Amino acid sequence: MPVLLYNTMNRCVEEFVPLDDQQVGLYSCGPTVYNYAHIGNLRTFLFEDLLKRVLQLSGFSVNHVMNITDVGHLTGDGDDGEDKLEHMAHKTNRTVWEIASYYTDAFFKDYDELNMIRPSTVCKATDHIQQMIALIKRLEEGGHTYISGGNVYFSIDSIPDYGKLARLDLESLRTAVREDVEADDNKRNSKDFVLWFTNSKHGEQAMMWPSPWGRGFPGWHIECSAMSMHYLGESFDIHCGGIDAIPVHHTNEIAQSEAATGKPWVKYWMHGEFLLDETGKMSKSKGEFLTLSLLKSKGFDPMDYRYFCLGGHYRSQLKFNFDSLSTARTARTNVYDRVQNLLKDGAKQVTLASEHALSSQRAFMEHIQNDLNTPRALADLWGVLKDDRLSSDEKYSLVLLFDQVFGLRLSSITAPEKETFPPEAEALLLKRVQAKKEKNWALADSLRSELDAMGYLVKDTPSGSSLEKKM
Ligand code: AMP
Ligand code: ZN
């Protein structure tokens, strides 16, 4: 079955065919480590983890590269404002390096708690300044840059197809140039963007490096182009991020990458839709914001949030509130209970053989391979758990298979501990088993009453008699 994915570049669902037979190059824009990730950010990373899991289950090996933005991301996307890390460092009286290290650790704690598979390579922007400088030099040699007010700019008019991902209307951009001259005298076109800053209006930055254009620091967009090409080559398969990255960040990444190499850069662009809170927009600037730790402090398990996200398709907006999260928790714990009951009945993993089990597997694969349709795939999970035509072994085996995509830690569920009873209760039960064998029903009944008085129920099933503690 082919894997079908929605490609933002072409605005349609396409069959996924990697550039290289079985090895997929996947780049995702990582976090800007100036604060904790909010659960909206985490939704985007969960979508990328889901994509990777679906590709892996479909037989591809995935080389996943994710960057850590620890320099150059300004508070405004259009080259305005202060570097986010510098801003936080000043506010909290810590160094930028301390800020970066602290929030990178916090990010990966969330990442692990949400059971996301770590990328093959995690690369920090500050470790790749030389690759960025080399890329800017290449752009300069190709006539795509100019220096103005001390900064190096990318000229969008130096390429024929700026804005193709976002389908920007270039005519209206041209009109905007005139308006924009007043806004930023340094830019020839309002959409031109900084590749290298030597002149920041926020004075001496803590993070600066020597360069052919003077001491300074890179723009945010050049980071992702330089690092992705360094690790995945000049053309690779998939680039992902949140939907907000389309009009500026990803648009600029494409412009500079393709201008530098003269080749198509990324084959499939994939974007996760936003998680919305009650106010409509999730923002870190509002003071207290929704983090995984906050959900945990309210008694939720990270897997509840993972289940909640699986309930929405990654290309649809998802509204967050605690009622919906509670509903997800109830559903998830029901799944856990059912899996535990299967184990209690002795279920084990087997090779699927019956036509019915195989058709359940096919339906699931078809759904997740159809642009990661997790709401349908979750319905498949419930269908399997409730399906009387499947044996316990088949159900358990399908659950384990499905969880390679869901990542809900269903494989770590264990059978409940066997309850132990006092020796006198066990002795009475044995006596009763013997009495039943001898068809001494009166004795069997009186032993049952005796056990009942001690606080134990006798359960008779076709496979034998057992005790249960009375509630
Ligand atoms: P940042 O750490 O700010 O660079 O953001 C990390 C990722 O989260 C980016 O891919 C953003 O596009 C994404 N993102 C930001 N806000 C939201 C949101 N409310 N819902 C989903 N993703 C988001
Ligand atoms: Zn990026």
Side-chain angles (χ1 to χ4, degrees):
M1 271 178 285
V3 176
L4 305 175
L5 299 174
Y6 184 86
N7 187 352
T8 311
M9 183 62 89
N10 300 328
R11 303 289 192 275
C12 62
V13 173
E14 296 174 0
E15 179 174 342
F16 175 68
V17 183
L19 295 169
D20 167 11
D21 247 6
Q22 292 296 306
Q23 166 86 358
V24 177
L26 167 69
Y27 183 84
S28 48
C29 294
T32 307
V33 285
Y34 70 105
N35 206 335
Y36 295 105
H38 61 49
I39 58 170
N41 302 133
L42 294 174
R43 182 187 185 204
T44 290
F45 294 108
L46 281 167
F47 138 64
E48 292 157 355
D49 182 63
L50 171 74
L51 170 66
K52 180 162 65 178
R53 284 168 176 272
V54 169
L55 290 171
Q56 284 174 341
L57 189 60
S58 304
F60 295 105
S61 115
V62 182
N63 184 9
H64 178 200
V65 176
M66 183 172 79
N67 73 305
I68 298 288
T69 297
D70 52 0
V71 66
H73 193 170
L74 305 190
T75 45
D77 268 0
D79 299 328
D80 52 320
E82 196 179 354
D83 183 293
K84 291 187 180 191
L85 273 95
E86 298 268 351
H87 180 77
M88 190 56 139
H90 294 151
K91 212 168 98 180
T92 57
N93 229 352
R94 286 185 284 175
T95 68
V96 272
W97 305 102
E98 283 166 349
I99 295 288
S101 150
Y102 178 83
Y103 289 111
T104 303
D105 290 349
F107 173 76
F108 281 113
K109 185 166 171 278
D110 290 351
Y111 207 85
D112 293 342
E113 284 182 352
L114 283 166
N115 198 24
M116 292 191 250
I117 301 168
R118 292 252 191 148
S120 332
T121 302
V122 174
C123 41
K124 291 198 293 188
T126 50
D127 287 340
H128 296 80
I129 301 297
Q130 292 320 312
Q131 284 84 353
M132 296 176 210
I133 290 176
L135 190 57
I136 301 170
K137 270 198 202 153
R138 214 166 149 186
L139 289 169
E140 193 174 43
E141 281 156 21
H144 299 287
T145 66
Y146 60 92
I147 297 176
S148 186
N151 299 328
V152 183
Y153 286 88
F154 181 88
S155 164
I156 70 155
D157 291 311
S158 72
I159 56 167
D161 54 2
Y162 180 80
K164 62 183 172 183
L165 178 71
R167 305 209 167 165
L168 299 178
D169 175 357
L170 286 181
E171 258 330 292
S172 63
L173 285 183
R174 294 231 152 71
T175 331
V177 178
R178 280 191 296 274
E179 292 159 16
D180 206 64
V181 172
E182 281 124 44
D184 184 346
D185 283 343
N186 292 326
K187 291 189 184 184
R188 293 182 190 160
N189 184 315
S190 65
K191 296 286 174 185
D192 289 349
F193 54 92
V194 177
L195 298 167
W196 188 265
F197 291 94
T198 64
N199 187 11
S200 158
K201 57 177 177 266
H202 292 283
E204 186 70 4
Q205 300 265 131
M207 287 178 171
M208 299 242 263
W209 293 264
S211 85
W213 314 280
R215 260 175 76 73
F217 63 98
W220 173 35
H221 319 301
I222 199 74
E223 296 179 4
C224 287
S225 294
M227 287 187 278
S228 61
M229 291 203 268
H230 179 66
Y231 290 103
L232 296 172
E234 292 190 349
S235 298
F236 58 91
D237 298 296
I238 310 178
H239 192 313
C240 343
I243 196 148
D244 58 328
I246 297 173
V248 181
H249 184 51
H250 288 169
T251 287
N252 292 350
E253 281 187 38
I254 294 169
Q256 65 203 2
S257 303
E258 296 192 348
T261 68
K263 297 193 273 214
W265 184 40
V266 168
K267 197 167 173 195
Y268 302 90
W269 282 90
M270 295 186 66
H271 294 94
E273 248 295 357
F274 261 31
L275 180 80
L276 307 177
D277 63 16
E278 302 280 23
T279 66
K281 192 171 181 325
M282 204 153 287
S283 154
K284 293 183 191 172
S285 54
K286 286 190 220 159
E288 196 187 48
F289 55 89
L290 291 163
T291 58
L292 191 63
S293 305
L294 183 77
L295 305 193
K296 283 184 356 192
S297 73
K298 291 184 185 288
F300 290 96
D301 186 295
M303 290 301 102
D304 296 332
Y305 183 61
R306 190 163 177 125
Y307 190 99
F308 169 80
C309 288
L310 290 168
H313 188 257
Y314 79 94
R315 279 197 292 121
S316 302
Q317 290 187 339
L318 186 60
K319 280 214 174 94
F320 178 85
N321 58 50
F322 281 99
D323 283 346
S324 313
L325 187 62
S326 299
T327 307
R329 171 169 57 190
T330 306
R332 184 191 68 83
T333 45
N334 283 341
V335 170
Y336 277 45
D337 289 348
R338 281 174 183 265
V339 175
Q340 199 162 51
N341 283 337
L342 290 174
L343 290 167
K344 207 164 140 188
D345 290 348
K348 56 193 181 319
Q349 194 171 13
V350 292
T351 307
L352 298 173
S354 80
E355 185 40 43
H356 188 55
L358 290 170
S359 89
S360 305
Q361 175 182 358
R362 275 195 301 274
F364 171 81
M365 291 304 291
E366 205 175 295
H367 292 143
I368 49 142
Q369 289 176 331
N370 184 6
D371 197 27
L372 322 181
N373 192 341
T374 52
R376 288 292 296 273
L378 272 187
D380 291 332
L381 173 66
W382 277 102
V384 160
L385 289 170
K386 292 180 179 172
D387 191 338
D388 293 337
R389 288 171 296 169
L390 293 167
S391 69
S392 295
D393 286 353
E394 286 175 325
K395 286 184 188 185
Y396 184 58
S397 308
L398 284 162
V399 162
L400 293 188
L401 176 82
F402 294 4
D403 203 45
Q404 289 180 44
V405 165
F406 294 140
L408 290 168
R409 300 193 198 277
L410 301 181
S411 61
S412 54
I413 298 174
T414 49
E417 291 275 309
K418 236 180 161 240
E419 241 185 305
T420 52
F421 300 96
E424 46 293 9
E426 295 278 11
L428 288 177
L429 181 73
L430 272 180
K431 244 174 145 180
R432 185 173 172 277
V433 171
Q434 191 55 33
K436 273 178 70 187
K437 239 189 223 162
E438 291 162 4
K439 297 195 171 27
N440 187 348
W441 307 120
L443 178 60
D445 280 352
S446 89
L447 287 166
R448 176 198 286 275
S449 308
E450 213 177 313
L451 280 162
D452 190 83
M454 286 168 70
Y456 301 104
L457 288 176
V458 177
K459 277 181 73 184
D460 290 321
T461 64
S463 54
S465 300
S466 59
L467 290 175
E468 202 172 85
K469 214 173 173 138
K470 283 205 303 192
M471 297 297 251

